[in-house]
Every structure is written in C-alpha cells, then in structure tokens.
Amino acid sequence: MVTGSDLLRIEDLNVGFAMLGGRIEAVRGASLRVLPGKVTALVGESGSGKSVISQAVLGILPPNATAAGRILFNDPAGPGTPVDVLTLPPDGPEIRHLRGRRIATIFQEPMTSLSPLHTIGNQIGEVLAVHESASAAEQRSRTLEMLGLVGFSDPRRAIDMYPFELSGGMRQRAMIAMALICRPALLVADEPTTALDVTIQAQILELLRELQQKLGMAMLLITHDLGVVANVADEIVVIYQGQIMEAGPAQAIFRTPQHPYLKGLITAVPHFDMKPGERLKSLREIPVNAGKLLGKTAAVTPLRPGVLLSVRDLVKSYATRKKGFFGTGGEAAVRAVDGVSFDLMRGECLGLVGESGCGKTTVSKILMRAVTPDQGSVTYFDADGAHDLRAAEGAVLQRLRTRIQMVFQDPVSSLSPRMTVQNILSEPLEIHNRGTPASRLETVATLMEAIGLDRRFLNRYPHSFSGGQRQRIGIARALALGPDLLICDEPVSALDVSVQAQILNLLKDLQKDLGLTYLFISHNLAVVDYMADRIAVMYRGRIVELAPRATLMRTPVHPYTRSLLAAVPFPDLDRPLDFATLQKGIAKDTSDWPTAFRDDGPRHAPLDLGGGHVVLARPDAAAADLVA
C-alpha cells in the first residue's frame, strides 16, 4: 500500500497511442511507488510498457500518446505538496524545472544519447547552465568534481574529450555524471547496463549503488535482467503487456514468487548450476521441425569425428592515429588479433568469450573471409580433404562459402527492411544457383517451419516481427545452404531473457537434429556455459585460457577468466556480486595478477595443464605460480 512518504507514486496509470489501425493501450492500470533513498526495479520484457512509464514520469510522452491516472512526485526540496506530473503542460516551466534537475534519467544507449559534436564537459555543464544559471567557471569546477565522483581517473583530461574517444563504460559514466550533476531526488535509469560487458556492467552497478547511497537519491531502475535486479533493488515491480503482475520487496519476490509470469522469467535465465542436459524453460516454446530440413538429419548423415576447422597463429593489426585530428602524430599499429590458434571439432560448440574490443568479432570476420589477416592460417576439412581458406579462389571458394555461415548480433540491422522474408531466405539459394524457383519456394517454407514460424508469414517484412522472430529468420537464412559450421556472433545479446531462452533452445535443437558445428561468440559466460562444449577466453587479442566447459567453470586458472566469472550477476539474493573482489581483480588492472600472468616479462606462451586445459602464461612460470 502506497503512503504519503513515497517520493514517487503512480496510481492507475493508463497510456495509449493513436495509431493508423486504431488505438494501442501500452500501459493499463499501472500502480507503483518509489521510496526516498530506495531502488525500485521495474522488470519486464521488451514491449511490456516499462519505457512508456518512464517517459510519462519525465513528461516526454510523444504527441500521439494520451495518459490518464496520477503520477505524484513529492519533491523533498519542494513545497511539501506532491505534484501530479501528468497535469503539467509538456513544455511548461514547472515540468522543465523538475525534468533534469529534480528528476533525472540515464538512457539505454550512451553513444546515441550523447552529442558527437560536443565534448563531455560541454554536455554536462549545459545541464548546470540550463537549470542553475551557473557561470562557465562554476560549470567546469562542478563537472570536474562529478567526473571524479563517477570514476574517471583523470577528469581534467576527460572533460575535453568527445564521446567517440571513450569506451562504452566510460560513455555510460559520462551519462551518469550528466544525470547527477544537479543532485536530483529521483533517477530514472532505463536499461543502464544492457549494452555493456559483464565486468563494465558490474562497475556501473556498483557506481550507481554507491552514488545512490552517498547522495540520498531514489532510483527507478528499468530492466529485463533479473541478475541486475537482485544486486541493487529494494522493491520490485513486474510488468507484462502493460499490466502489473506482481510487486513487493526484493526478498519476497525472489524467495516466494507467486505469479506464473515471474516464475517463468526466473527459470528462463541461464545459470552455472544447471545440470548436464537441462534445458532453459522458455515462457513460450518454439515448435522446432528440423528433422528433415534440406534432407539432412543426424541419422542419415552421422558425424565424422575429427577437426572441422583448424586456426593457427592468426594476426590482424590496424593502424590508428597517435594524436591529433590531422595526422600530426603519425600512426601506431594496434593488434586486434594476436596469435590466435584453436581447433574446432565436428559437431561441437566452441564458445569464444571476452569483452568488447578483445578481438572476438575480428576472428569471426577472418573465418568468413570478410577481413584478411596479416599472417596465420585457417584450414577447413571436408570429404575432399583440407582447404586453405585464405588461399581459396573461384569455384572452391564459392563452395566453401556455403559450408560456413553466420548469425549476426543485431537481428534488426542484419535483415534488409526492403525485402520480404521470402526474398531474404531465398537470396542465398539464388546466389548459389540452388534449385528452381518452385523448389526454392518449398525450401524457404521448410526453413520457416524449422524455426517455428508459419509459412503464411513469408510475404511480411522484417519490421512486422519481434526481435526474437527476426533473429530466428536470421538463423533460417544461415541454414538455407545446409552449412556444416555456424558462427554465432552475440546472437542473443540484444534479446530479452525469455526470448534469449527461445533462441538458445532453438540453436541446441538445430545442432542436435542437423549435426551442426558452432563457434558461439559472446561476452556472457552464463550463456556460453549453457551452449558450449569447450570455452576459449580472449583478452587483448589473445586466447588466454581454453578448456572443456566444466573445467573452465569449476577450476579457472587465468585471473581474467576469474574476473569474468565473478562479474556475472545471478538472479539469486544469496549470491550477490562481490564488488570488493571485482575491484581488486578487474580485468584492466593487471598489477594484482600473479607473476606468471603479468605482461612485464617474456611473451606469454600456451601451457598445457592436461585434459584439454590450456592457459597463456610466461614460459618461465612454474605450476605453483599459476594459482598464486
């Protein structure tokens, strides 16, 4: 029951949008509260109405939206009477006084939310200029203070940098600094860590928690990640299709969930305690019918043991400008891939794990012949023998391209908006002259059934499908030519946990039915743990540890691997993130690493620990040094 002490109280909120085909009710009768100095998490899938509620709180609903109900904001620095945000004129002085000053927001994507034409300091200082009429000197002084508060090691350097000069985590810190510069009473954080690596996510979560406690600020955290919620939220509100399904303290929500939707969300999250062969429980199962897809089944085509793809000593460097915008500082070579070697066995799933910028995607592009390496070899083995992928040309290259296909990270940008699903799925068949127009149409229909979509959807365009359905279409396109190897580059990072469970189960079913081999690239170790047979961990362009899944999860050796494992948030109150340990063993700070793994000695070399477990360490390291 909400009380007068609530900082924010939403009562019976209804938000609808006038569309060409009629009115869409995005939020229906939603009621929730945010207590002073506490964190309320609003949890739900994409399209559930979370962001619409945040827009209503901030008074930034689009013109075609109509809202009814009450959004009462009880500003501690105000007159003492709650203000109904919905009754304020959208561009009036009252809402502008609250928005950005007393109610601030952090948006999901910091790159598109920050102006590329202005420095970080200009954008943060602008908030002070608008809301407090601060002088230029005061703006700079307070901006430097806030940049230090949010974790910039050198605020005087960062204040004059542009967003493109910062990493994703640093851009998000700049966005947090902009939101908090006026010391707001309420912070609305809309998916603040979704686009970040797990170690950076852990840093941002700790930062938000510290700042919230230090500034006495309340937070409305909007997310679909229950692991994040378990580590920061005091109260939780679960929303589905615009309606509140369940709400209460975090302890009650996680320990005694009542609503089937909430229970489904919890069981859809992959975790490290899953038993061998255990499946994720998706909210909505996909009917998979891959048994006779293109006439290729595991029973008809038994897997031949052995290596399918052999990668040796791949190196790829890029030239970057040392300093200055006009080339005044010359160029420096950065090794994106630095001596990567591994074997991919037939029928297995090899997980390739690491943070953004470690070289994972560059490796996948080299395997697809989209990027030419500086040195190294890639050998593909089939019934005709060994083929050098780097040297292949003409008909041999054309045939090899059908054997290796890719599933991309973003299901929106990887599908042409101008092509129907039928055209998208038949295009690979047309390019490689497979069959007649009639047989191609039948193949496309079979592909649709294999991924659990109705063949009646063939004439639709990608925009009419959900994110998970679009990713399934991307998988079907990759399967059209009957490949042996699928390279899956972050195939579920852009999806909700429930849709993620659908796609992961689909990929597992397809692998079983078609005898596929996967190279599964991700920064989420919990996802890779569910999919992979073996896992390779990349750091700064090199594979620092490679082992069978169970070995790597149970007894990781390299400190970077341990950092990744420690940074995965669990949807479990009894297993909180250890922020203190994360700060000591953070991936970017190698000074606390054991001597065997530091970069201040001879170049590291692979050390075989037995049982397929290999770790990168100094060649003069003793076995005892590896666990020091």
Side-chain angles (χ1 to χ4, degrees):
M1 182 68 183
V2 293
T3 68
S5 63
D6 300 336
L7 178 70
L8 180 74
R9 183 165 69 233
I10 299 175
E11 297 179 348
D12 196 27
L13 178 64
N14 293 273
V15 181
F17 294 90
M19 307 293 285
L20 213 58
R23 181 178 168 84
I24 294 178
E25 297 295 335
V27 179
R28 296 176 288 166
S31 297
L32 61 99
R33 70 176 182 179
V34 180
L35 296 171
K38 300 293 184 181
V39 179
T40 295
L42 185 57
V43 181
E45 300 172 275
S46 297
S48 62
K50 307 187 303 294
S51 294
V52 174
I53 291 176
S54 74
Q55 290 172 356
V57 170
L58 292 162
I60 56 173
L61 286 169
N64 66 331
T66 55
R70 297 204 301 171
I71 301 178
L72 302 176
F73 178 62
N74 192 8
D75 188 357
T81 304
V83 176
D84 188 350
V85 175
L86 284 183
T87 63
L88 301 179
D91 292 318
E94 298 94 342
I95 188 66
R96 294 176 70 181
H97 173 77
L98 292 177
R99 186 171 53 224
R101 186 170 181 267
R102 303 305 299 154
I103 306 176
T105 186
I106 303 172
F107 295 103
Q108 180 171 352
E109 179 45 66
M111 195 64 216
T112 56
S113 303
L114 294 170
S115 168
L117 303 177
H118 299 86
T119 65
I120 294 300
N122 286 340
Q123 297 183 64
I124 298 173
E126 183 184 22
V127 181
L128 290 172
V130 169
H131 291 290
E132 299 187 10
S133 302
S135 66
E138 186 181 358
Q139 289 176 36
R140 187 170 183 87
S141 172
R142 289 177 60 180
T143 298
L144 286 170
E145 179 189 2
M146 184 55 70
L147 287 174
L149 198 61
V150 299
F152 280 86
S153 58
D154 188 354
R156 294 188 180 279
R157 179 171 177 267
I159 196 171
D160 295 318
M161 296 177 75
Y162 289 84
F164 65 83
E165 298 180 276
L166 301 174
S167 67
M170 289 295 105
R171 284 196 294 263
Q172 195 65 294
R173 287 172 186 266
M175 179 69 69
I176 293 170
M178 189 188 306
L180 302 185
I181 192 70
C182 288
R183 307 288 174 117
L186 173 65
L187 176 65
V188 180
D190 189 356
E191 301 275 11
T193 62
T194 297
L196 304 177
D197 295 315
V198 285
T199 52
I200 305 299
Q201 173 179 266
Q203 292 177 45
I204 297 299
L205 289 179
E206 182 188 25
L207 173 64
L208 286 173
R209 192 179 66 168
E210 285 181 351
L211 291 173
Q212 180 246 335
Q213 294 171 353
K214 189 178 296 184
L215 303 177
M217 175 183 66
M219 193 189 318
L220 177 61
L221 175 66
I222 296 170
T223 184
H224 65 260
D225 191 335
L226 287 169
V228 170
V229 171
N231 280 276
V232 296
D234 299 296
E235 294 194 348
I236 301 171
V237 179
V238 181
I239 187 170
Y240 175 65
Q241 293 186 351
Q243 292 183 297
I244 304 299
M245 298 289 109
E246 192 166 348
Q251 290 282 343
I253 291 292
F254 277 103
R255 300 197 189 283
T256 55
Q258 300 297 315
H259 198 278
Y261 177 69
L262 175 57
K263 294 177 181 178
L265 278 181
I266 293 173
T267 57
V269 181
H271 55 85
F272 297 132
D273 297 330
M274 298 183 72
K275 300 183 179 71
E278 183 182 354
R279 286 173 64 89
L280 291 174
K281 296 177 182 176
S282 171
L283 290 173
R284 294 166 289 276
E285 284 291 343
I286 301 174
V288 178
N289 184 24
K292 296 184 179 179
L293 183 62
L294 305 182
K296 179 179 178 181
T297 66
V300 176
T301 313
L303 288 174
R304 300 187 304 278
V307 177
L308 178 67
L309 193 74
S310 180
V311 176
R312 289 291 177 271
D313 301 317
L314 284 185
V315 174
K316 179 62 182 177
S317 299
Y318 292 98
T320 60
R321 194 180 296 114
K322 286 183 181 177
K323 61 181 178 179
F325 286 99
F326 303 102
T328 55
E331 292 186 341
V334 174
R335 283 200 169 189
V337 178
D338 187 9
V340 165
S341 300
F342 62 86
D343 288 331
L344 189 54
M345 312 303 290
R346 288 184 184 278
E348 81 163 341
C349 178
L350 175 65
L352 190 58
V353 179
E355 295 178 284
S356 297
C358 72
K360 309 185 303 292
T361 298
T362 303
V363 169
S364 72
K365 289 178 179 178
I366 291 172
L367 300 184
M368 293 294 295
R369 285 276 297 252
V371 168
T372 303
D374 303 330
Q375 64 186 61
S377 65
V378 181
T379 308
Y380 179 85
F381 297 90
D382 63 9
D384 298 326
H387 304 277
D388 184 349
L389 275 181
R390 289 190 61 190
E393 295 179 349
V396 174
L397 176 60
Q398 187 84 340
R399 182 169 59 81
L400 288 175
R401 286 196 184 279
T402 68
R403 313 314 306 159
I404 306 174
Q405 292 291 303
M406 195 161 189
V407 178
F408 298 96
Q409 177 174 357
D410 188 352
V412 177
S413 61
S414 61
L415 300 177
S416 171
R418 297 177 178 86
M419 298 172 68
T420 64
V421 173
Q422 179 177 325
N423 292 335
I424 289 170
L425 297 184
S426 62
E427 185 180 36
L429 301 170
E430 294 168 4
I431 290 172
H432 291 275
N433 298 315
R434 294 279 183 90
T436 64
S439 67
R440 289 173 196 154
L441 180 59
E442 186 56 36
T443 298
V444 166
T446 305
L447 284 166
M448 288 288 279
E449 292 178 1
I451 60 167
L453 290 177
D454 197 303
R455 62 172 66 195
R456 292 176 299 173
F457 299 162
L458 282 173
N459 291 322
R460 290 188 182 181
Y461 289 86
H463 68 80
S464 63
F465 294 91
S466 68
Q469 288 173 328
R470 277 185 281 218
Q471 193 62 294
R472 284 192 258 165
I473 293 168
I475 293 171
R477 178 178 60 184
L479 294 174
L481 296 169
D484 295 319
L485 170 62
L486 280 191
I487 299 174
C488 302
D489 188 4
E490 302 270 15
V492 296
S493 65
L495 305 176
D496 293 321
V497 288
S498 57
V499 181
Q500 172 182 280
Q502 286 183 351
I503 299 300
L504 294 178
N505 285 343
L506 173 64
L507 287 170
K508 269 188 168 288
D509 292 338
L510 291 172
Q511 182 183 27
K512 178 183 176 183
D513 291 344
L514 303 179
L516 293 170
T517 303
Y518 290 151
L519 178 63
F520 194 95
I521 298 171
S522 179
H523 65 260
N524 189 332
L525 269 168
V527 169
V528 172
D529 175 50
Y530 179 66
M531 288 295 300
D533 301 297
R534 290 187 302 145
I535 300 174
V537 180
M538 280 194 75
Y539 175 63
R540 292 183 179 177
R542 306 196 75 187
I543 292 179
V544 296
E545 191 162 5
L546 192 154
R549 177 193 58 80
T551 302
L552 192 87
M553 295 299 168
R554 189 171 58 248
T555 55
V557 171
H558 199 281
Y560 179 68
T561 307
R562 294 177 178 177
S563 290
L564 285 182
L565 284 166
V568 177
F570 280 84
D572 185 347
L573 297 177
D574 296 324
R575 301 177 69 175
L577 286 173
D578 186 348
F579 291 112
T581 302
L582 280 170
Q583 282 301 320
K584 291 178 183 177
I586 205 66
K588 299 296 184 289
D589 181 14
T590 63
S591 60
D592 290 333
W593 287 8
T595 307
F597 300 107
R598 293 181 198 157
D599 290 328
D600 53 1
R603 181 173 171 82
H604 295 182
L607 295 180
D608 191 348
L609 304 180
H613 192 175
V614 178
V615 66
L616 201 66
R618 290 167 55 152
D620 57 348
D625 296 333
L626 299 182
V627 292

